């Protein structure tokens, strides 16, 4: 398994659970690196069930939303599924305002999300 | 400048004169991602010290981030010969941020709605919508190269 700088990757059954190491997902060199790491899970490692756990994330901007949308597209093309969980209220507001809560399957916590695959 | 533009400037000066600012800054940054991080962190530190709540701090951080990223990417197009001027004012009840780039400007009305189902999977174009949702006031000048963001503190906060 690859070593990642920005994410922690664990297996729970056949689901790949991803946690973010950065508390703030913002536009700088790190967001590009984060994007590459997330995309490699689908493109290079062929993982088809991804759960993104946002419990460590205190802030994200629209640049991070862009990476998540691209990841979602890649996953749908590959025939897999992504679920999001543990999103704090302010960040959930970002998803609802942009209507991305309709694009992504967002669950309260990791157990809910795992059960939904 | 048109008469409407002059009237807006005058109104702006009157509003500014009535506010009591406890902190302000006026800085220029190069057009590189992350170049404004110090200014952003300083404003957030001042807001937290003045006990602005978590949601208000999140809103200001997000709107400021979106405005600066837009100025660097869409305004100055990463041209390192161009700068972004960032001015911030913090008062007991109001925070005001002005972000000015050196690009050609744009018409905010031309920016498509990112929540249009046809555009929902487009990875860009959500910054302005987020600024408008999270801030009390978002206003562009006539050219579109300066944006003013304001957040008014919620009433009934804990002292």
């Amino acid at each position: 398994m690859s070593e990642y700088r920005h994410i922690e990757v664990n297996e729970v059954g056949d689901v790949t659970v991803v946690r973010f190491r950065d508390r703030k997902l913002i536009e700088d060199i790190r967001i590009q690196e984060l994007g590459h790491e997330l995309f490699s899970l689908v493109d290079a490692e062929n993982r088809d069930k991804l759960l993104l756990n946002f419990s460590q994330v205190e802030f994200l901007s629209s640049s991070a939303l862009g990476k998540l949308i691209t990841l979602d597209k890649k996953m749908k093309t590959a025939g897999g599924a992504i679920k999001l969980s543990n999103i704090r209220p302010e960040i959930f507001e970002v998803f609802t305002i942009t209507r991305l809560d309709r694009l992504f399957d967002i669950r309260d916590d990791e157990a809910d999300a795992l059960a939904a695959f | 400048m048109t008469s409407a533009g002059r009237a807006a400037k005058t109104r702006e000066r009157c509003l500014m004169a009535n506010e009591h600012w406890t902190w302000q800054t006026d800085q220029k940054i190069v057009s590189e991602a992350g170049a404004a991080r110090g200014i952003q962190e300083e404003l957030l530190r001042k807001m937290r010290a003045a006990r602005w709540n978590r949601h208000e701090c999140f809103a200001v951080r997000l709107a400021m981030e979106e405005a600066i990223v837009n100025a660097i990417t869409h305004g100055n197009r990463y041209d390192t010969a161009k700068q972004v001027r960032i001015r911030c004012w913090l008062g007991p009840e109001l925070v005001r941020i002005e972000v000015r780039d050196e690009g050609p400007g744009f018409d905010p009305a031309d920016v498509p709605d990112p929540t249009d189902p046809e555009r929902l999977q487009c990875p860009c174009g959500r910054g302005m919508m987020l600024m408008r949702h999270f801030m009390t006031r978002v206003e562009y000048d006539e050219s579109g190269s300066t944006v003013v963001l304001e957040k008014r503190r919620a009433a009934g906060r804990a002292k």
Side-chain angles (χ1 to χ4, degrees):
Chain A
M1 187 185 293
S2 308
E3 278 301 310
Y4 297 103
R5 286 182 62 192
H6 302 283
I7 52 177
E8 285 174 24
V9 178
N10 290 291
E11 308 294 331
V12 179
D14 60 349
V15 178
T16 301
V17 179
V18 176
R19 287 191 177 80
F20 298 89
R21 292 188 202 273
D22 301 320
R23 289 186 299 131
K24 298 185 177 78
L25 309 182
I26 42 186
E27 172 71 28
D28 56 21
I29 187 73
R30 284 178 302 177
I31 198 82
Q32 304 304 336
E33 291 174 357
L34 172 66
H36 288 310
E37 291 185 2
L38 290 172
F39 303 158
S40 75
L41 294 173
V42 184
D43 295 337
E45 300 187 27
N46 301 316
R47 294 167 189 266
D48 61 357
K49 289 181 184 173
L50 276 189
L51 164 52
L52 306 182
N53 182 328
F54 281 78
S55 59
Q56 303 293 324
V57 180
E58 295 174 359
F59 179 81
L60 59 71
S61 69
S62 66
S63 302
L65 296 179
K67 297 297 177 200
L68 295 176
I69 290 164
T70 304
L71 179 69
D72 185 62
K73 269 191 214 169
K74 284 176 181 289
M75 188 56 108
K76 281 179 177 150
T77 303
I82 297 179
K83 299 190 190 301
L84 279 51
S85 75
N86 300 77
I87 296 180
R88 63 172 59 201
E90 301 92 89
I91 296 178
F92 187 67
E93 195 175 336
V94 169
F95 279 88
T96 53
I97 290 311
T98 54
R99 308 236 176 118
L100 290 174
D101 57 330
R102 296 179 187 186
L103 185 69
F104 293 105
D105 186 356
I106 302 176
R107 305 286 170 149
D108 287 346
D109 56 35
E110 203 172 294
D112 275 356
L114 284 169
F117 275 102
Chain B
M1 188 182 285
T2 63
S3 60
R6 276 194 296 276
K9 275 274 178 202
T10 306
R11 196 170 62 240
E12 195 71 41
R13 274 197 293 272
C14 291
L15 285 171
M16 293 287 283
N18 288 337
E19 288 294 337
H20 165 62
W21 305 113
T22 52
W23 177 80
Q24 51 189 286
T25 189
D26 181 351
Q27 298 183 42
K28 286 184 174 176
I29 59 152
V30 293
S31 300
E32 288 175 0
R37 201 64 66 219
I39 305 169
Q40 293 170 273
E41 291 303 331
E42 189 174 7
L43 174 59
L44 267 294
R45 267 199 306 276
K46 301 281 181 193
M47 287 180 69
R48 283 194 296 268
R51 302 184 67 186
W52 287 65
N53 70 34
R54 189 172 99 173
H55 189 271
E56 290 161 343
C57 290
F58 180 92
V60 168
R61 184 189 286 280
L62 181 60
M64 194 177 185
E65 172 75 12
E66 301 294 344
I68 293 168
V69 168
N70 281 350
I72 293 171
T73 58
H74 303 302
N76 290 352
R77 301 194 176 160
Y78 292 111
D79 181 348
T80 49
K82 291 179 176 171
Q83 294 184 310
V84 177
R85 184 179 183 188
I86 303 166
R87 294 200 284 172
C88 307
W89 295 263
L90 179 62
E93 304 299 328
L94 187 72
V95 57
R96 186 177 196 276
I97 301 147
E98 187 183 292
V99 178
R100 176 180 300 176
D101 63 56
E102 296 176 359
F106 77 112
D107 183 351
D110 291 342
V111 177
D113 178 0
T115 64
D116 182 331
E118 303 262 303
R119 301 194 62 82
L120 204 56
Q121 292 194 58
C122 179
C124 302
R126 292 175 178 80
M128 200 188 301
M129 162 174 264
L130 291 171
M131 286 189 259
R132 290 205 161 118
H133 172 75
F134 279 96
M135 299 301 274
T136 314
R137 183 168 86 99
V138 176
E139 221 162 90
Y140 287 86
D141 71 352
E142 282 177 284
S143 73
S145 55
T146 302
V147 62
V148 173
L149 311 167
E150 284 185 358
K151 184 75 178 171
R152 191 160 286 282
R153 199 169 195 167
R157 66 186 186 276
K159 289 281 184 185

